[in-house]
């Protein structure tokens, strides 16, 4: 991969060096250069334990602060990173940051027993055999206990290359990390995979949470997902919780965790540390106001 990136990077630098009419930089090269220049950071969105009413961890979300355009959302560059293979380096960067921060949260938490961090894995990371070593190295170098790391994978990714994905997930499970299905219910789902893959958690897609209390179908689907997860021994996270009504219904359904703008936008790692260090009642209130969104 050094060779591939080297080529991309030189294309970028040549375009910027003393060229009277520089061509628009190649987006793939621009992405590689952004990684070198440290333009990527990791934001963390609090994960709220609905029964305890407090933050018990966070999801790591990549951020690109472009020098000219400002914040570039992940949806605009993750697909390209995936296509070019740079996602392996970006993914490792996120993974290492997440592990390092989670260790600090554990140290400052008033009740660290259930503390966790989740990291999104792209398609290539799920099927590439080197991912297991990357995860192991990140855990070993930071000292994070494996059970505190949950890797988020979408259904679509799992279904793309089932055998490679299954083999990798088994190896990851053997390391001791946990696996979540992200955006559950929106992919090309086959319920068969729920028993085939070694899963720990289902994340109820925002689409369903969004319709709670307004759309009977969303109510029914959300309830069914939570009940299915419970029957399978999986924990549930509701994504994109924005209203008190959604929060109330999810708690009533017995959903374990929630994330969403109601509690907090993605924030910096320091803010998560303050949240997990706080007491339950204060934390809940604090979650809504703390930190500056990133
Ligand atoms: P995701 O993993 O499903 O992450 C949830 C997205 O929903 C995040 O967007 C988050 O900021 C947003 N969100 C959270 N709460 C709410 C809410 O209440 N309302 C609404 N409308 N949105 C909410 P973000 O950070 O822009 O990320 C978008 C997607 O990009 C992620 O979806 C994930 O698929 C991908 N992504 C982000 N970071 C990474 C990464 O490090 N690696 C990989 N492979 N993909 C990533
Ligand atoms: Mg996710
Ligand atoms: Mg999601
Ligand atoms: Mg998504």
């Amino acid at each position: 991969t050094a060779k591939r990136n080297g080529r991309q990077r030189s294309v970028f630098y040549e375009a910027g060096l003393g060229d009277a009419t520089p061509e628009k930089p190649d987006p793939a090269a621009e992405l590689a250069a952004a990684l070198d220049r440290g333009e990527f950071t990791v934001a963390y969105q609090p994960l709220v334990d609905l029964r305890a009413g407090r933050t018990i961890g966070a999801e790591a979300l990549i951020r690109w602060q472009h020098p000219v355009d400002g914040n570039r959302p992940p949806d605009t560059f993750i697909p390209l990173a995936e296509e070019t293979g740079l996602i392996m380096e970006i993914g490792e960067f996120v993974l290492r940051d997440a592990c390092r921060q989670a260790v600090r949260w554990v140290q400052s938490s008033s009740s660290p027993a259930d503390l966790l961090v989740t990291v999104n894995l792209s398609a290539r990371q799920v099927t590439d055999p080197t991912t297991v070593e990357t995860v192991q190295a990140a855990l070993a170098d930071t000292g994070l206990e494996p059970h505190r790391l949950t890797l988020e994978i979408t259904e679509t990714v799992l279904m793309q290359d089932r055998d490679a994905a299954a083999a990798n997930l088994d190896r990851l499970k053997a390391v001791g990390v946990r696996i979540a299905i992200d955006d559950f219910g929106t992919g090309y789902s086959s319920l068969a995979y729920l028993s085939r893959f070694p899963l720990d958690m289902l994340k109820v897609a925002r689409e369903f949470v969004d319709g709670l209390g307004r759309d009977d179908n969303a109510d029914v689907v959300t309830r069914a997902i939570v009940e299915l997860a419970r029957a399978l021994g999986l924990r549930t996270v509701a994504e994109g919780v924005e209203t008190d009504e959604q929060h109330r219904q999810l708690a009533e359904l017995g959903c374990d965790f929630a994330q969403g703008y109601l509690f907090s936008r993605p924030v910096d790692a320091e803010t998560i540390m303050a949240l997990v260090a706080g007491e339950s009642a204060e934390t809940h209130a604090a979650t809504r106001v703390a930190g500056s969104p990133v």
Side-chain angles (χ1 to χ4, degrees), residues 59 75 120 152 154 182-183 186 206-207 239:
E59 175 177 8
D75 291 336
N120 294 283
E152 299 192 7
T154 64
D182 201 356
D183 306 336
T186 60
R206 186 165 74 225
E207 283 79 346
E239 298 193 79

Side-chain angles (χ1 to χ4, degrees), residues 116 150 179-181 199-203 234-237 257:
L116 79 158
T150 295
I179 311 291
I181 300 297
L199 308 177
D200 300 283
M201 188 182 263
L202 295 185
K203 299 192 74 172
L234 309 177
R235 295 196 290 178
T236 43
V237 182
F257 309 118

Side-chain angles (χ1 to χ4, degrees), residues 67-97:
V68 178
D69 301 351
N71 177 53
R72 284 190 176 173
D75 291 336
T76 66
F77 64 86
I78 292 285
L80 179 66
E82 173 76 26
E83 219 174 280
T84 60
L86 196 69
I87 193 68
M88 297 303 288
E89 278 177 71
I90 293 176
E92 182 171 1
F93 166 76
V94 175
L95 193 61
R96 285 184 167 272
D97 195 81

